[in-house]
Amino acid sequence: HRASAAEGVGEPGASAGTAGLSSNGAGEGQESGLTCQSSAQNGESSSAAGAHSNGLLSSTDHGSSVGTGNGAQTGTGTLSTGSGSELGSLKKKKRLSQSEEDVIRLIGQHLHGLGLNQTVDLLMQESGCRLEHPAATKFRNHVMEGEWDKAENDLSELKSLMHSPNATVVRFFSFLLQRMKFLLLQQKYLEYLEDGKVLEALQVLRGELTPLKYNTDRIHILSGYLMCSHAEDLRAKAEWEGKGVSSRSRLLDKLQMYLPPSVMLPPQRLHTLLRQAVELQRDRCLYHNTKLDASLDSASLLLDHMCSRKQFPCYTQQILTEHCNEVWFCKFSNDGTKLATGSKDTTVLVWQVEQDTHQLKLWRTLEGHAYGVSYLSWSPDDTYLIACGPDDCSELWLWNVQTGELRTKMSQSHEDSLTSVAWNPDGKRFVTGGQRGQFYQCDLDGNLLDSWEGVRVQCLWCVSDGRTVLASDTHQRIRGYNFEDLTDRNIVQEDHPIMSFTVSKNGRLALLNVATQGVHLWDLQDRVLVRKYQGVTQGFYTIHSCFGGHNEDFIASGSEDHKVYIWHKRSELPIAELTGHTRTVNCVTWNPCVPSIMASASDDGTVRIWGPAPFQDVQDVDSFSENCNSMDS
């Protein structure tokens, strides 16, 4: 099509009036309907470039002229009668590529949305492009003016532009046009109702909408609006803005989605592309750890997105030294306002996170865990905290954190090993177990509700369905146990012992610390190993890793080499290695509500709080210097 159109305009004296501008899409207009107009490229007149009413077609009044930077005058009345030298210089203008035409159209659409219609006219005239097909412009005007019968007739003309030799595609186009007609008639029906024209609305419902035999459920809902007593009631029930520019603009945005971009661009296409570019850059940024703002106002379009490492929790903010022996576990509360730490010194310390400074202050001490505390679990509402001991501990402590009182001290048998616990999502039950062959489901008073025998449990997790419990066992696997129908199934199988695991908030991913192997990421739904993270030193000690950061995009784990490792979820190599501890780091926990705070517990008897660099004012300069250095190299 492009070749034939180019040949047509290249003929001496050829008219461009019908090349690519006829309503049936002849010539190049048949494919895109929006290619550069011949008149602007070879100086010949275009009979189709008539007057317009909304600034969407490039045109000028006959005899008018537009000044250029060098004082030359251009007008529709003079282009075809210019001198031979003028025609020659115009013919030498570079023909725009398809991508260049697309960019011009995108800019034109954006400017039109800003109300800069005269600028759009000049851009389209000078480039020789048109923003959309004339049939689409006519359709737009009829929709915005509420001329529904004319808009419906316009669909027939638009249908001729949506042709294809493929019969399946033709049927699909017919379906789209039927949907467009339905949306038009729905707006017409609602506007009649709002105006109190009930009989006219009823005629639309019975005589036009119902015969379409499209979305009968929606038609039943629409018929119910006939009972609305006043316009406000109608708008509320229909969740509709009412008759006017706003609702018609929204309707037009929906209708545009069903037309090929060659006929009419999708709504706010340039804005959509820019937003996608910003989101892609943020997604690829290894240190991006803040909420993604959907608007473009929060991002610069003039520079690539880049977060500095100094904004990331890689720096020691605070060292908690109140424990007097190895610290085996740490866990932030679900609301992020508290941190619980468990130690070999038999105590659980609960710390308050200051809202403004994010500094931690000791808030409560829970004592009496004779074997030490190797595992902690907050109830869903953060009212209770359960503490478990090491392998030889047969007791479990359930504390009311708010009052500091011990609600339950549970022990089913002195031969038990209650080393792990997980809360049911309802907050009224929990499961606990250990490596001596059983695990239990109990209520808040420690009463036994159910038990599962013959399972040597290493770690537990309750699924959000409230029925299924995930348990890692001594057979190097994670199985799902359903306490309602008493069924179980294999979900994860490793080749080495699973020392601990945790599950993402959405329940899709599991993070495993595997003996001698390190940290593995599994997809629980597809039951496949997604990624093995490198760097961490993992022997046969129990180390607890975690998901963290905004949207749980990051993974952190302790290590036997005294470091804390952080990975981006999609990258096998660590993006940070945090030093400071002097012995094995047993556990890492990320604040679920403040993504810039993380805590780690170590055998060196300390808990370290990690946060951004203390001096953020120089980060932009450093980042700029890094960019300059990379460009110089």
Side-chain angles (χ1 to χ4, degrees):
H1 294 300
R2 181 178 297 278
S4 62
E7 292 167 2
V9 299
E11 299 281 345
S15 170
T18 59
L21 289 173
S22 61
S23 61
N24 62 358
E28 186 169 7
Q30 191 173 19
E31 275 302 312
S32 68
L34 297 150
T35 56
C36 291
Q37 295 179 23
S38 305
S39 60
Q41 296 190 24
N42 59 15
E44 297 171 8
S45 62
S46 173
S47 61
H52 60 88
S53 61
N54 59 7
L56 294 181
L57 289 176
S58 78
S59 63
T60 57
D61 295 331
H62 289 287
S64 65
S65 62
V66 179
T68 61
N70 58 9
Q73 299 291 320
T74 305
T76 58
T78 61
L79 283 176
S80 61
T81 58
S83 66
S85 61
E86 289 173 341
L87 288 173
S89 69
L90 285 172
K91 286 183 178 180
K92 291 178 183 178
K93 287 183 65 176
K94 175 186 175 184
R95 181 178 180 85
L96 297 178
S97 67
Q98 185 63 53
S99 62
E100 290 170 333
E101 293 177 18
D102 292 345
V103 171
I104 289 174
R105 293 177 60 206
L106 292 172
I107 294 172
Q109 184 194 45
H110 187 70
L111 293 175
H112 174 70
L114 297 176
L116 304 177
N117 294 332
Q118 292 184 359
T119 306
V120 177
D121 292 344
L122 182 58
L123 174 64
M124 295 300 120
Q125 176 188 324
E126 191 169 355
S127 66
C129 296
R130 62 185 178 196
L131 192 54
E132 59 188 17
H133 196 280
T137 301
K138 184 169 60 173
F139 177 64
R140 176 194 299 276
N141 292 339
H142 289 156
V143 170
M144 294 305 296
E145 293 165 7
E147 298 184 14
W148 306 116
D149 293 338
K150 292 182 179 179
E152 189 176 341
N153 291 333
D154 293 337
L155 291 179
S156 300
E157 188 173 352
L158 292 173
K159 183 178 181 180
S160 66
L161 303 175
M162 300 164 63
H163 59 84
S164 171
N166 189 312
T168 302
V169 175
V170 170
R171 287 195 296 270
F172 180 65
F173 284 157
S174 299
F175 171 78
L176 293 182
L177 288 170
Q178 185 184 31
R179 178 167 176 78
M180 292 174 70
K181 185 174 182 180
F182 183 88
L183 292 174
L184 284 173
L185 293 175
Q186 177 179 255
Q187 178 80 8
K188 178 181 178 181
Y189 169 76
L190 293 173
E191 290 193 8
Y192 275 148
L193 282 182
E194 187 182 46
D195 290 340
K197 300 177 180 179
V198 179
L199 293 178
E200 289 86 345
L202 189 59
Q203 175 58 34
V204 172
L205 183 67
R206 292 179 175 176
E208 299 182 69
L209 277 168
T210 302
L212 286 178
K213 296 181 180 179
Y214 176 85
N215 200 347
T216 55
D217 291 340
R218 179 60 181 168
I219 290 177
H220 290 153
I221 294 174
L222 292 174
S223 64
Y225 298 153
L226 288 166
M227 307 304 295
C228 294
S229 56
H230 49 78
E232 290 77 10
D233 186 29
L234 170 66
R235 290 192 289 268
K237 289 184 177 179
E239 297 180 352
W240 178 61
E241 296 172 283
K243 178 180 178 180
V245 174
S246 181
S247 66
R248 291 174 182 174
S249 296
R250 288 183 180 274
L251 169 64
L252 196 59
D253 285 347
K254 292 180 181 179
L255 294 170
Q256 283 178 261
M257 301 303 296
Y258 301 112
L259 290 172
S262 58
V263 177
M264 181 184 282
L265 285 173
Q268 298 184 315
R269 183 58 183 163
L270 180 59
H271 182 277
T272 299
L273 291 174
L274 292 174
R275 179 172 50 79
Q276 290 173 349
V278 169
E279 289 176 354
L280 180 62
Q281 287 194 13
R282 285 173 173 171
D283 186 53
R284 290 181 175 178
C285 177
L286 290 179
Y287 295 108
H288 189 78
N289 191 28
T290 57
K291 184 178 181 181
L292 295 178
D293 193 337
S295 71
L296 292 178
D297 296 335
S298 62
S300 170
L301 300 180
L302 306 180
L303 294 171
D304 287 344
H305 173 85
M306 183 180 64
C307 292
S308 169
R309 186 179 187 273
K310 294 183 177 180
Q311 300 168 278
F312 207 68
C314 296
Y315 302 86
T316 300
Q317 302 279 18
Q318 198 174 352
I319 302 176
L320 310 180
T321 60
E322 278 71 6
H323 283 294
C324 57
N325 209 324
E326 298 173 357
V327 186
W328 288 340
F329 200 84
C330 59
K331 185 69 175 179
F332 278 107
S333 59
N334 297 295
D335 63 6
T337 62
K338 296 177 182 65
L339 172 71
T341 58
S343 170
K344 187 178 180 180
D345 66 9
T346 74
T347 66
V348 173
L349 302 183
V350 182
W351 309 80
Q352 182 79 41
V353 181
E354 294 295 322
Q355 184 175 2
D356 298 327
T357 64
H358 296 159
Q359 290 289 302
L360 275 69
K361 293 183 179 180
L362 184 59
W363 182 63
R364 200 175 295 286
T365 301
L366 309 176
E367 299 176 316
H369 312 87
Y371 296 87
V373 179
S374 62
Y375 196 86
L376 295 164
S377 183
W378 291 88
S379 64
D381 62 359
D382 294 326
T383 300
Y384 298 104
L385 181 69
I386 295 179
C388 297
D391 289 345
D392 53 351
C393 180
S394 61
E395 297 176 328
L396 171 150
W397 293 262
L398 193 156
W399 295 91
N400 186 319
V401 183
Q402 306 302 321
T403 64
E405 297 177 351
L406 179 64
R407 170 159 180 170
T408 303
K409 182 179 180 181
M410 175 188 138
S411 177
Q412 291 295 327
S413 168
H414 291 296
E415 297 180 356
D416 280 344
S417 173
L418 303 183
T419 58
S420 184
V421 67
W423 284 90
N424 190 285
D426 64 12
K428 299 176 182 179
R429 296 169 289 164
F430 61 87
V431 291
T432 182
Q435 292 192 7
R436 297 186 181 175
Q438 68 293 310
F439 68 95
Y440 309 106
Q441 182 169 223
C442 307
D443 64 15
L444 297 181
D445 295 319
N447 298 315
L448 184 63
L449 301 178
D450 293 291
S451 66
W452 210 291
E453 299 294 333
V455 182
R456 298 180 182 273
V457 172
Q458 182 72 25
C459 194
L460 294 165
W461 191 273
C462 287
V463 179
S464 59
D465 63 9
R467 301 185 301 272
T468 307
V469 176
L470 302 182
S472 61
D473 56 33
T474 53
H475 295 285
Q476 306 167 3
R477 64 190 181 183
I478 296 177
R479 292 179 65 81
Y481 298 87
N482 190 309
F483 274 96
E484 287 192 0
D485 57 20
L486 301 179
T487 60
D488 60 300
R489 59 193 177 100
N490 204 49
I491 297 176
V492 169
Q493 182 67 60
E494 284 278 2
D495 296 327
H496 298 80
I498 301 171
M499 306 307 294
S500 68
F501 76 94
T502 187
V503 179
S504 60
K505 289 181 180 177
N506 62 11
R508 179 70 185 263
L509 300 174
L511 195 61
L512 284 60
N513 282 75
V514 184
T516 72
Q517 302 301 302
V519 181
H520 292 180
L521 183 69
W522 280 79
D523 187 315
L524 296 178
Q525 182 174 315
D526 295 337
R527 304 184 192 181
V528 295
L529 176 62
V530 177
R531 195 160 286 114
K532 296 180 179 181
Y533 297 101
Q534 301 178 19
V536 67
T537 302
Q538 169 82 61
F540 288 91
Y541 287 107
T542 299
I543 293 177
H544 299 273
S545 56
C546 68
F547 293 97
H550 181 72
N551 202 34
E552 293 192 324
D553 285 332
F554 302 97
I555 286 167
S557 178
S559 176
E560 293 181 21
D561 63 3
H562 314 166
K563 296 179 182 179
V564 174
Y565 288 82
I566 304 176
W567 301 266
H568 196 286
K569 193 163 55 179
R570 66 170 182 270
S571 176
E572 295 180 356
L573 297 176
I575 62 173
E577 299 178 18
L578 312 185
T579 59
H581 286 295
T582 57
R583 293 183 63 187
T584 295
V585 180
N586 299 307
C587 184
V588 180
T589 178
W590 213 304
N591 192 303
C593 298
V594 186
S596 59
I597 296 180
M598 189 174 62
S600 58
S602 170
D603 281 347
D604 63 12
T606 68
V607 175
R608 283 185 176 252
I609 307 302
W610 306 89
F615 303 106
Q616 290 287 303
D617 56 323
V618 298
Q619 68 184 22
D620 293 334
V621 176
D622 290 347
S623 299
F624 181 74
S625 299
E626 292 174 7
N627 282 342
C628 291
N629 292 336
S630 64
M631 288 188 289
D632 292 341
S633 61

